[in-house]
Amino acid sequence: MADVAAEAHVSVKTVSRVVNHEPGVRPDTAERVRAVIERLGFRRHDGARLMRQGRTFTIALVVEDLANPFYSQVGAAVEREARIRQHQLITASAEGSPSRERAVIEALVGRRVDGIVVVPADESASSDAVLEASHTPIVYMDRPVRGTPRDTILSDNHGGIRSAVEHLVAHGHRNIAFYGDDPAFWTARQRRDAFVTTQQSLGLPASPRVSMGPHTPVSVHETLSQWTTGPEPITAVITGNNRITLAALLALRELRLPLSLVGYDDFELAALIDPPVTVVHQDPAAMGQKAAQQLFARLLGDESQAQTVVMPTRLIVRASGIRRGTPTR
Amino acid sequence: MADVAAEAHVSVKTVSRVVNHEPGVRPDTAERVRAVIERLGFRRHDGARLMRQGRTFTIALVVEDLANPFYSQVGAAVEREARIRQHQLITASAEGSPSRERAVIEALVGRRVDGIVVVPADESASSDAVLEASHTPIVYMDRPVRGTPRDTILSDNHGGIRSAVEHLVAHGHRNIAFYGDDPAFWTARQRRDAFVTTQQSLGLPASPRVSMGPHTPVSVHETLSQWTTGPEPITAVITGNNRITLAALLALRELRLPLSLVGYDDFELAALIDPPVTVVHQDPAAMGQKAAQQLFARLLGDESQAQTVVMPTRLIVRASGIRRGTPTR
DNA sequence: CGGTGGTCAGACAACGCTGTCATGCCCGCA
DNA sequence: TGCGGGCATGACAGCGTTGTCTGACCACCG
């Protein structure tokens, strides 16, 4: 900028004015400056600019794994909201590790990002203290965090599971198994609990078949063959997330079992699997958008109390949930 | 930092030394400074620091759409490489628009990101001039760009398609159709050309059935019903990407046609579709990693000539490509 | 002709940090 | 006692901008 100023025989301030389209520059002066800028290939250094202004026009998204379709859809939505508002998005993966999450967030706070959307790795959110001290606005997503109340965007896990159970019961199922993820995850517990209470409220047989923990096709296979052969054999399965749905599909195919299945999370091509898989659809793009919007509201000075938004889920009925007891192939 | 210095009765420089673990500070002084830092909740402002140092420790990734699994896997891989090297990753979607891509890249250059990985929206890459002037290292991915030679990471489209054709021919197919994407895309043209030349080299009948352009299930449906009923009916289909594979699967299902299918791009659950879909697998994570590594090599001062790396593809054989002519349901 | 007000432009400091160099002190040694 | 050398620390400038304030110049008016 100093070079441009010297070359155009003006002060740096005038160059600044031209670059930022500020008023108070005679057209011919501005034109001269622009010509020099063009000739020298000058480009404003936004880092310096933003430092001067105390804002970075940058927000960050911290998730477990960007390659996971759920998070990548969230990421696309957040990036979109950011772009609309002239902000950049920094994305970071914590790989499910609280310590890495903390490190990542410290780095982001060190860069003075204007705000952060986080899918927290654990409920105690040790990183929260960092954010508290730095006053960086934050929105939690998908999972809540203990401690200071924060804006949080959740999915209606309870409603989603209830709709799945009700759907199956409406089609005559009474013995339903639930495969959930590791109960260390808040969402896994939520869905499990929803399953149990819904069963109770619908007056289904007690001692529900519930299997938690990280699941593999093999682990599903084992319990499945057990629960289908004993007394009161199950006729339907509900899976607690994407990966487990996949494991269950493989196990069902292997066992050639004609069970009904409702999966949590929609996935590409769910309609093409035979039978097409009925799913509880949560809308990651909508969640990401909502989270970003909430964050930007804070950035614009919204000082109202932290709020928790629960986003609705939707049951997408495909064949897998209704062909009760009939072989699918 | 000035506050900390005053409070600890030292100079800002000493605080700086403590914060950065520089030598030459007496342990008791350092301890005193650390205590004040803790008490005041001071945190180094990395923006200022990096500005002083002239680097941003930030790289950027510009793609079409972050929610697309291909790109999100690339993104995860690039982010990983960046994190390992203490860099942050800014991701941006250009949504396939050259003008938006240009705007995005200008913003990134304005922020002085250290380097950029781009999946270019078009071959003329108007944004290239910007990068040229700013000397920002860049690596192009998936598609090459005309003009100044640049580091470019491509996938072996030709080899991938050839393996698909050879696989089908080995199983007795002689009349194969190819559905490609809009020929405006370089990759689409590559794959189409590979299909045509491979057919020729294998001595298959001329006048290959090739259908390009954005495809919908309906558009595939139309040509498909035509090509299967005329003389020399086709017995197999090769699809040029993810979305077209999906369209073709829907069309095949609708028409209840027992054709063999080989799709380009692997996708989650390809194994679960009936019949399991044989695919040409390109490895987005490996491509992203390679691109990032190449970029960082440049950042570390590698001045060698720009190089183009072609990443191998792999044919994943599943049932869809081998059950020649036998109905699948 | 002096005063007033508007327009255009520049000087300067500051944003928060770090690289460079200078300073002061203490120690050991002749 | 004087001096060289190492160590701990500080002063200062500068990274590339922009906000604030000041000033030069001109036109207009009474």
Side-chain angles (χ1 to χ4, degrees):
Chain A
M1 201 174 240
D3 292 354
V4 173
E7 197 82 2
H9 305 292
V10 294
S11 72
V12 287
K13 179 63 206 185
T14 297
V15 177
S16 170
R17 276 193 265 258
V18 171
V19 168
N20 298 302
H21 307 104
E22 281 174 39
V25 182
R26 270 215 319 271
D28 57 330
T29 311
E31 193 41 60
R32 199 170 73 238
V33 172
R34 268 193 293 272
V36 176
I37 287 176
E38 180 69 22
R39 183 151 59 80
L40 266 51
F42 165 79
R43 185 173 297 275
R44 184 180 62 196
H45 188 309
D46 283 318
R49 165 169 222 246
L50 298 173
M51 162 170 166
R52 185 64 235 266
Q53 312 201 131
R55 296 205 32 198
T56 56
F57 277 80
T58 306
I59 64 172
L61 173 66
V62 180
V63 298
E64 212 173 299
D65 170 22
L66 256 181
N68 181 318
F70 183 87
Y71 298 123
S72 69
Q73 285 179 67
V74 170
V78 173
E79 196 266 341
R80 179 156 222 290
E81 294 298 311
R83 182 151 34 80
I84 289 171
R85 296 172 177 79
Q86 327 274 15
H87 284 238
Q88 306 268 211
L89 175 68
I90 293 181
T91 44
S93 298
E95 295 179 358
S97 146
S99 69
R100 207 190 298 265
E101 176 181 301
R102 194 192 158 90
V104 160
I105 289 183
E106 297 212 319
L108 293 169
V109 169
R111 294 204 170 202
R112 302 292 193 273
V113 294
D114 294 335
I116 310 187
V117 175
V118 180
V119 178
D122 67 338
E123 286 153 70
S124 54
S126 54
S127 39
D128 206 67
V130 179
L131 295 158
E132 181 73 47
S134 67
H135 301 116
T136 307
I138 186 170
V139 175
Y140 285 116
M141 248 199 61
D142 197 43
R143 309 160 192 170
V145 154
R146 283 194 296 265
T148 325
R150 301 271 188 210
D151 291 319
T152 307
I153 313 293
L154 301 175
S155 175
D156 182 10
N157 293 297
H158 196 279
I161 289 292
R162 193 179 53 230
S163 67
V165 176
E166 285 174 349
H167 170 73
L168 289 170
V169 168
H171 287 84
H173 294 276
R174 290 189 58 78
N175 293 292
I176 307 169
F178 177 82
Y179 286 90
D181 204 346
D182 190 330
F185 292 111
W186 181 84
T187 47
R189 293 200 302 280
Q190 280 272 306
R191 292 170 195 170
R192 175 196 61 196
D193 296 349
F195 175 71
V196 173
T197 58
T198 303
Q199 281 216 317
Q200 286 169 351
S201 73
L202 293 178
L204 295 185
S207 100
R209 274 59 159 257
V210 171
S211 171
M212 303 294 285
H215 277 299
T216 63
V218 174
S219 69
V220 174
H221 191 291
E222 279 172 13
T223 46
L224 212 48
S225 56
Q226 203 176 313
W227 289 343
T228 46
T229 52
E232 301 258 346
I234 59 169
T235 58
V237 172
I238 294 176
T239 49
N241 73 25
N242 241 327
R243 290 189 307 279
I244 302 175
T245 305
L246 173 57
L249 281 167
L250 288 167
L252 287 171
R253 172 154 304 192
E254 181 114 349
L255 290 164
R256 301 193 165 272
L257 282 172
L259 300 188
S260 287
L261 171 67
V262 178
Y264 211 96
D265 283 341
D266 195 11
F267 48 89
E268 243 192 330
L269 306 190
L272 281 172
I273 294 187
D274 194 17
V277 180
T278 295
V279 296
V280 177
H281 173 68
Q282 35 182 358
D283 192 339
M287 290 177 73
Q289 182 182 38
K290 187 83 190 169
Q293 286 171 347
Q294 182 66 31
L295 186 62
F296 278 111
R298 296 298 179 190
L299 293 188
L300 290 176
D302 179 349
E303 299 274 350
S304 63
Q305 221 181 341
Q307 59 173 298
T308 295
V309 177
V310 177
M311 305 285 286
T313 60
R314 190 158 49 87
L315 189 75
I316 300 182
V317 178
R318 300 194 184 101
S320 76
I322 57 181
R323 299 200 203 155
R324 193 209 156 184
T326 54
T328 59
R329 44 162 73 210
Chain B
M1 200 173 240
D3 293 353
V4 174
E7 197 82 1
H9 304 292
V10 295
S11 71
V12 286
K13 180 64 205 183
T14 297
V15 179
S16 169
R17 277 193 265 259
V18 172
V19 168
N20 298 303
H21 306 106
E22 281 174 38
V25 180
R26 272 215 319 271
D28 56 332
T29 312
E31 195 41 61
R32 201 171 69 238
V33 171
R34 267 193 293 273
V36 176
I37 285 176
E38 179 70 23
R39 184 153 58 77
L40 267 50
F42 166 80
R43 184 173 297 276
R44 185 181 62 197
H45 188 309
D46 284 316
R49 165 170 222 247
L50 298 173
M51 165 170 164
R52 183 69 233 265
Q53 312 201 130
R55 295 205 33 198
T56 56
F57 277 81
T58 305
I59 64 170
L61 172 66
V62 180
V63 297
E64 212 173 298
D65 171 21
L66 256 181
N68 181 319
F70 182 86
Y71 297 123
S72 70
Q73 284 178 69
V74 170
V78 173
E79 196 267 341
R80 178 155 222 290
E81 293 299 311
R83 181 150 35 82
I84 289 170
R85 297 173 175 79
Q86 327 275 12
H87 283 239
Q88 305 268 215
L89 174 68
I90 292 182
T91 44
S93 299
E95 296 180 357
S97 145
S99 68
R100 209 191 299 266
E101 176 181 300
R102 195 192 158 92
V104 160
I105 290 183
E106 297 213 320
L108 294 168
V109 169
R111 295 205 169 200
R112 303 293 193 272
V113 295
D114 294 336
I116 311 188
V117 175
V118 180
V119 178
D122 65 339
E123 285 154 71
S124 54
S126 53
S127 40
D128 206 67
V130 178
L131 296 158
E132 180 73 47
S134 67
H135 302 115
T136 307
I138 186 169
V139 175
Y140 285 117
M141 248 199 62
D142 196 44
R143 309 161 191 169
V145 154
R146 284 193 296 264
T148 325
R150 303 270 186 211
D151 290 321
T152 307
I153 313 294
L154 301 175
S155 176
D156 182 10
N157 294 295
H158 197 279
I161 288 292
R162 192 178 54 230
S163 69
V165 175
E166 285 172 350
H167 170 73
L168 289 170
V169 169
H171 286 85
H173 294 275
R174 290 187 58 80
N175 293 292
I176 306 169
F178 177 81
Y179 287 90
D181 204 347
D182 189 330
F185 291 111
W186 181 83
T187 46
R189 291 200 302 281
Q190 282 272 304
R191 293 170 195 170
R192 175 198 60 196
D193 296 350
F195 175 73
V196 172
T197 58
T198 304
Q199 282 216 318
Q200 285 168 353
S201 75
L202 293 178
L204 294 186
S207 102
R209 273 59 158 256
V210 171
S211 171
M212 303 295 284
H215 278 300
T216 63
V218 174
S219 69
V220 175
H221 191 291
E222 279 172 14
T223 45
L224 212 48
S225 55
Q226 203 177 314
W227 290 343
T228 46
T229 51
E232 300 258 344
I234 61 169
T235 58
V237 172
I238 294 176
T239 49
N241 74 24
N242 241 327
R243 289 190 308 279
I244 302 175
T245 306
L246 173 58
L249 281 166
L250 287 167
L252 288 171
R253 173 154 303 192
E254 181 114 349
L255 290 165
R256 303 193 163 272
L257 285 171
L259 301 187
S260 287
L261 171 68
V262 178
Y264 211 95
D265 283 341
D266 196 10
F267 48 89
E268 242 192 331
L269 306 190
L272 280 172
I273 293 187
D274 194 18
V277 180
T278 294
V279 296
V280 177
H281 173 68
Q282 36 182 357
D283 192 339
M287 290 178 72
Q289 182 181 36
K290 188 82 190 170
Q293 286 171 347
Q294 182 65 31
L295 186 62
F296 278 110
R298 295 299 178 188
L299 294 188
L300 291 176
D302 178 350
E303 299 274 348
S304 63
Q305 221 181 341
Q307 59 173 297
T308 295
V309 178
V310 177
M311 306 285 286
T313 61
R314 189 159 49 84
L315 189 75
I316 301 182
V317 177
R318 301 195 183 101
S320 75
I322 58 180
R323 298 199 200 154
R324 191 211 157 182
T326 54
T328 58
R329 46 162 70 207

